[in-house]
């Protein structure tokens, strides 16, 4: 299966759309978010699409038709069909037949999912609406429009297209977004995409305040990040502060590498809250008051400013 995946990847990869970023070599989330930010600056409107249960609802017959279009080897089609329609065994131990969907986590699922939406959405947009830029990362899709009328009309057409391919847009999560300009009614003024919120913001530059489209950590991602730190129960861990640093450093670096890719100012609140949790650890470990714990951390910062990665952005 691995050889098949590598072979089909080499065949299909050059055919995929330039606006597709998910599960592709040399492409990543940051490129998709950066392009969405640029397109949102140039277009006053966007459609934030969410496909309801995409991986669970892919129609097997349509999927096999798409595979057959790009591959005429019967043995490949046979194995893909067997793999798609294989029974599953949930935790209750009872075998169940699978009528739709492709298992998430499977080695070939990302390739098949990309192929399906390449046919269902990417090529359809290229053929019917080539002037409308979009970004797609797996089943997360943002489409950009110039006017309110365009956005509403195109969303109706996309809904019909999805239904014709036996998919459904999520009625609550799919929305039209209005970044700036006039509108006939009130719309959301930002969209969430791959953990970032893309929105219009007044930014201070060297030449003064300037209205720009920015990408900041989304409220959902911020809440999940703080919950991760909360679940670690740092104040309950015993040992030296250097040992605590070894526990936190890989997690903090991962968060910084992802969310501080474009700029870091929007993360200051998270690092400030993390410093409060570290101060709480000092209180428990050293049996100090909160003021004494903060003085201890400031001393440590002077001695070892790189002890915690986020201290280069927000020190105690």
């Amino acid at each position: 299966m691995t050889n098949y995946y590598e072979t089909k990847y080499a065949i299909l990869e050059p055919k995929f759309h330039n606006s597709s970023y998910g599960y592709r070599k040399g492409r990543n989330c940051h490129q998709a978010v950066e392009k969405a930010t640029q397109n949102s600056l140039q277009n006053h409107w966007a459609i934030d699409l969410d496909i309801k249960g995409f991986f669970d609802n892919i129609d097997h017959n349509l999927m096999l038709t798409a595979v057959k279009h790009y591959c005429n080897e019967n043995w490949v089609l046979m194995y893909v069909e067997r793999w798609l329609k294989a029974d599953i065994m949930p935790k209750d131990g009872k075998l169940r037949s699978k009528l739709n969907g492709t298992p998430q986590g499977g080695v070939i699922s990302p390739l098949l999912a990309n192929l399906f939406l390449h046919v269902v959405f990417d090529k359809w947009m290229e053929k019917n609406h080539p002037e409308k830029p979009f970004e797609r990362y797996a089943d997360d899709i943002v489409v950009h429009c110039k006017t309110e009328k365009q956005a509403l009309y195109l969303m109706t057409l996309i809904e019909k297209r999805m239904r014709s391919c036996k998919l459904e847009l999520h009625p609550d999560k799919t929305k039209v977004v209005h970044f700036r300009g006039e509108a006939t009614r009130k719309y959301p003024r930002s969209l969430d995409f791959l953990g970032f919120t893309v929105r219009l913001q007044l930014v201070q530059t060297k030449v003064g305040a300037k209205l720009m489209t920015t990408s900041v950590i989304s409220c959902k991602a911020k809440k999940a990040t703080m919950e991760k730190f909360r679940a670690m129960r740092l104040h309950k861990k015993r040992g030296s502060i250097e040992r605590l640093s070894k526990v936190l450093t890989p997690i903090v670096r991962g968060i910084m590498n992802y969310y501080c890719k474009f700029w870091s100012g929007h993360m200051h609140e998270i690092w400030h809250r993390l410093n409060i949790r570290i101060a709480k650890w000092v209180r428990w470990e050293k049996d100090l008051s909160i003021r004494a714990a903060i003085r201890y951390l400031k001393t440590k910062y002077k001695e070892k400013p790189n002890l915690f990665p986020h201290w280069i952005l927000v020190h105690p």
Side-chain angles (χ1 to χ4, degrees), residues 22 35 58 61 86 111 120 137 207 222 245 279 292:
K35 194 64 177 177
I58 294 176
N61 291 330
L111 181 61
V120 170
Y137 192 97
V207 295
K222 182 187 291 187
S245 172

Side-chain angles (χ1 to χ4, degrees), residues 302-313:
K302 291 179 181 179
E303 295 173 355
K304 300 179 179 180
N306 297 318
L307 184 60
F308 295 95
H310 68 282
W311 277 4
I312 65 173
L313 301 174

Side-chain angles (χ1 to χ4, degrees), residues 153-297:
Y153 178 63
L154 183 56
M155 187 166 74
T156 301
L157 295 181
I158 293 173
E159 285 177 339
K160 291 180 180 178
R161 172 62 177 172
M162 291 297 175
R163 282 199 301 269
S164 70
C165 297
K166 301 184 180 181
L167 292 174
E168 180 184 355
L169 295 181
H170 197 291
D172 299 322
K173 296 180 181 179
T174 296
K175 59 186 179 182
V176 170
V177 178
H178 177 212
F179 289 110
R180 62 192 179 278
E182 295 182 356
T184 59
R185 56 189 177 90
K186 191 173 182 180
Y187 295 91
R189 303 306 293 264
S190 65
L191 63 87
D192 287 354
F193 187 48
L194 303 176
F196 288 88
T197 293
V198 180
R199 69 187 183 195
L200 207 65
Q201 185 173 327
L202 200 62
V203 178
Q204 290 295 331
T205 67
K206 293 180 180 179
V207 295
K210 187 177 180 182
L211 200 60
M212 299 178 64
T213 307
T214 60
S215 304
V216 300
I217 185 171
S218 68
C219 291
K220 185 178 179 180
K222 182 187 291 187
K223 184 178 179 181
T225 301
M226 294 311 305
E227 182 56 40
K228 179 181 290 187
F229 290 139
R230 191 178 300 112
M232 292 178 71
R233 296 178 64 81
L234 298 178
H235 63 287
K236 294 289 186 179
K237 297 184 182 296
R238 303 278 66 88
S240 65
I241 194 169
E242 287 75 16
R243 184 177 178 182
L244 183 68
S245 172
K246 288 182 179 179
V247 173
L248 272 176
T249 291
I251 298 172
V252 172
R253 285 200 187 281
I255 294 170
M256 290 177 68
N257 288 342
Y258 189 77
Y259 290 107
C260 296
K261 174 69 175 179
F262 305 113
W263 65 297
S264 59
H266 63 105
M267 295 291 289
H268 283 186
E269 180 187 354
I270 287 177
W271 305 136
H272 175 68
R273 290 188 182 183
L274 180 56
N275 282 339
I276 292 175
R277 292 193 173 277
I278 296 173
K280 187 176 181 180
W281 173 87
V282 174
R283 289 189 64 189
W284 278 62
E285 179 65 22
K286 308 292 183 182
D287 194 21
L288 299 174
S289 66
I290 184 62
R291 289 185 178 180
I294 293 173
R295 284 197 299 269
Y296 172 85
L297 286 179

Side-chain angles (χ1 to χ4, degrees), residues 74-91:
N74 290 330
W75 70 271
V76 171
L77 293 170
M78 179 185 69
Y79 278 108
V80 170
E81 183 174 12
R82 287 180 178 179
W83 184 80
L84 284 173
K85 297 182 178 181
D87 292 340
I88 59 173
M89 182 180 290
K91 292 182 179 180

